[in-house]
Amino acid sequence: MIRPKTLLASTRPFSLTASIIPVIFGTILAMKWTEINWGIFLLTLAGAVFMQCGTNLVNDYFDHKKGADQPGSLSPSGVIDRKEMTPEQVHITGLIFFGLGSLVGLILAGLTGSFILYIGIPSLMIGYFYTATRFALAYNGFGEFASGTTLGVLAVLGSYYVQTLTVHWETVLISLPNAFLIMAILQANNLRDIDTDKLINKITVAGLIGKKGARIEYYLLMLGTYIILLLLVFASLLPAWSLIAFISLPIALKAVGIAARTWEPKELNKALGLTAMLHLGFGLLLCIGTFIGIST
């Protein structure tokens, strides 16, 4: 019997802001055009969280099977390492979460139209095959792109669609700061693991372009987030109030500073934690500022 505390730990609850923030942001963007259906919002939020929980668990399972997460490693949940859950339990639990997310997706399709399936089905496939099979996205250099596409863009687009029942493609541009920070989290992870990934033949962008190039990519993703936000405001795609997200810039600079001075995995793990914190802080501030701007 899996204890509730262990089950919660296996989902990596600290990481779930990566699915919560884009749903909130997409919903706020929809407020400009329609009155929010809060029941639809809660369903969308639940579906996104279920999908990410499924992805986290299945990823832990396949990372363990492929040797990426060894005992004592800096793996996210650690439930397999601590023998709190067997690998098979982790895999099955992940599939259950995927099933719950799929059920929510079908309910949303019935309530809002089939377009949401064009977002949900690819997200499900990317979530599972992120680490599954020999063609796994994360093991063949597509990890950042896959995460940036699903949690960065599609989650915002889908949350916007289920409220407005329309797709404004400028929403894709508006979602780019969120996508950049999602990719930055993955890049920070790959910076930390750049040496150990080579030992298991895991191909990442960081490994392909080398340590110097990987650092530059991380800098571009972190600082590019703020540059894109500025451009979106200047283009009147976001209100000026959205610029309060710049309050989070010191966190970005601190994380970039750590990445610039060391290749020690434990230190880079701090940069990873700061990058995840930045996604939360930047995202919340962006949501608050955009809400104020749309409401006034």
Side-chain angles (χ1 to χ4, degrees), residues 3 38 47 123 180 189 208 223 234:
R3 293 185 302 168
W38 295 106
S123 297
F180 266 47
N189 181 82
L208 289 172
L223 302 180
F234 288 152

Side-chain angles (χ1 to χ4, degrees), residues 88-149:
E88 290 71 25
Q89 286 176 322
V90 169
H91 189 212
I92 291 170
T93 305
L95 295 179
I96 291 172
F97 274 115
F98 275 142
L100 291 172
S102 299
L103 178 60
V104 171
L106 290 173
I107 294 171
L108 284 172
L111 294 172
T112 67
S114 61
F115 179 80
I116 194 64
L117 298 179
Y118 294 101
I119 293 174
I121 292 174
S123 297
L124 172 62
M125 299 297 287
I126 289 171
Y128 187 79
F129 289 104
Y130 188 78
T131 49
T133 79
R134 57 182 292 196
F135 305 107
L137 296 167
Y139 284 73
N140 289 280
F142 294 101
E144 291 95 333
F145 177 77
S147 296
T149 300

Side-chain angles (χ1 to χ4, degrees), residues 144 187 190-191 194 203-211 213-214 217:
E144 291 95 333
Q187 182 66 0
N190 291 338
L191 283 172
I194 195 167
I203 300 170
T204 64
V205 173
L208 289 172
I209 63 180
K211 289 187 173 181
E217 182 192 354

